[in-house]
Amino acid sequence: MAEFIKIYEENPNPKEIKRVVKILRDGGVIIYPSDTVYALGCDIKSNRAMERVAQLRGVKLEKANFSFVCEDLSNLSDYVKQIDTPTFKLLKRNLPGPYTFILPGNNNLPSVFKKKKEVGIRVPDNSITRAIVQELGNPIISTSIKDEDEVIEYTTDPELILEKWDNLVDLVIDGGYGGNIPSTVIDLTGDEPIVVREGKGSLEL
């Protein structure tokens, strides 16, 4: 049975955030709100938890395209090769925001992703998410939860999410109704930014 915690985005309760982080540090898998859709997440330092997330999404972990959710751009150099000034300025203009930026990965990527040459970075404009990452002290792995109903691609109601995922995850955060438009994905590994997926937000190039 998953825990169900209500956290308000206005002023996330530090005590509740600590509860979430304890579950993450213990290798737990959570469902949390973001500035786009609800997502599955776990501690980037827990291979066991990442395996579980990959299984839930039906993908092989080493081939999974999970995003790294960071509190801000200060985490960037931990996992991303040095980027030029125009790229950094583009990130700074648009983050926090509903974007996933694909950047060249460096040698510090978790061992399961060693063969990956790039990494998707997210800094969501959601105070719950950022408070969790700040308290944890490192990024979380993230992948959106899709709904089987083709009309509603993403599940937006936390109580319905709990019903569906109750026996599969350790915690569901109720952060209010979520959106159903995913993040816009932009590839920054080449000479010019390429929009890989149109989603929420209007990018400032």
Side-chain angles (χ1 to χ4, degrees), residues 98-170:
Y99 308 104
T100 302
F101 288 103
I102 299 169
L103 293 158
N106 66 19
N107 296 329
N108 297 332
L109 289 176
S111 55
V112 288
F113 300 132
K114 280 291 181 225
K115 290 181 183 166
K116 280 195 169 292
K117 292 189 168 51
E118 51 206 31
V119 60
I121 297 289
R122 281 270 279 129
V123 181
D125 188 12
N126 181 289
S127 53
I128 299 169
T129 315
R130 298 218 310 281
I132 291 166
V133 177
Q134 182 183 29
E135 179 67 28
L136 183 64
N138 54 262
I140 58 174
I141 284 289
S142 179
T143 177
S144 56
I145 59 167
K146 288 196 169 75
D147 196 291
E148 276 124 30
D149 184 335
E150 285 178 20
V151 183
I152 311 166
E153 198 185 348
Y154 294 90
T155 306
T156 58
D157 182 336
E159 291 192 5
L160 294 179
I161 293 170
L162 178 67
E163 267 179 44
K164 182 178 168 184
W165 293 85
D166 198 12
N167 297 314
L168 301 171
V169 299
D170 302 289

Side-chain angles (χ1 to χ4, degrees), residues 34-48:
S34 74
D35 55 354
T36 54
V37 299
Y38 270 85
L40 274 169
C42 71
D43 188 344
I44 201 170
K45 294 187 171 175
S46 172
N47 282 358
R48 187 167 55 92

Side-chain angles (χ1 to χ4, degrees), residues 19-44:
R19 268 176 75 191
V20 174
V21 167
K22 184 180 184 314
I23 287 168
L24 288 169
R25 286 202 178 118
D26 289 345
V29 172
I30 68 169
I31 291 178
Y32 69 95
S34 74
D35 55 354
T36 54
V37 299
Y38 270 85
L40 274 169
C42 71
D43 188 344
I44 201 170

Side-chain angles (χ1 to χ4, degrees), residues 55-127:
Q55 279 175 347
L56 288 169
R57 289 308 307 269
V59 292
K60 280 196 170 10
L61 180 55
E62 57 277 12
K63 292 186 176 169
N65 289 321
F66 295 151
S67 302
F68 290 17
V69 174
C70 304
E71 184 201 350
D72 53 34
L73 292 176
S74 63
N75 287 122
L76 216 54
S77 57
D78 294 347
Y79 302 104
V80 171
K81 282 183 182 167
Q82 194 164 1
I83 53 176
D84 59 25
T85 306
T87 303
F88 185 75
K89 283 183 173 171
L90 185 143
L91 294 171
K92 215 162 168 49
R93 272 198 302 277
N94 291 285
L95 296 174
Y99 308 104
T100 302
F101 288 103
I102 299 169
L103 293 158
N106 66 19
N107 296 329
N108 297 332
L109 289 176
S111 55
V112 288
F113 300 132
K114 280 291 181 225
K115 290 181 183 166
K116 280 195 169 292
K117 292 189 168 51
E118 51 206 31
V119 60
I121 297 289
R122 281 270 279 129
V123 181
D125 188 12
N126 181 289
S127 53

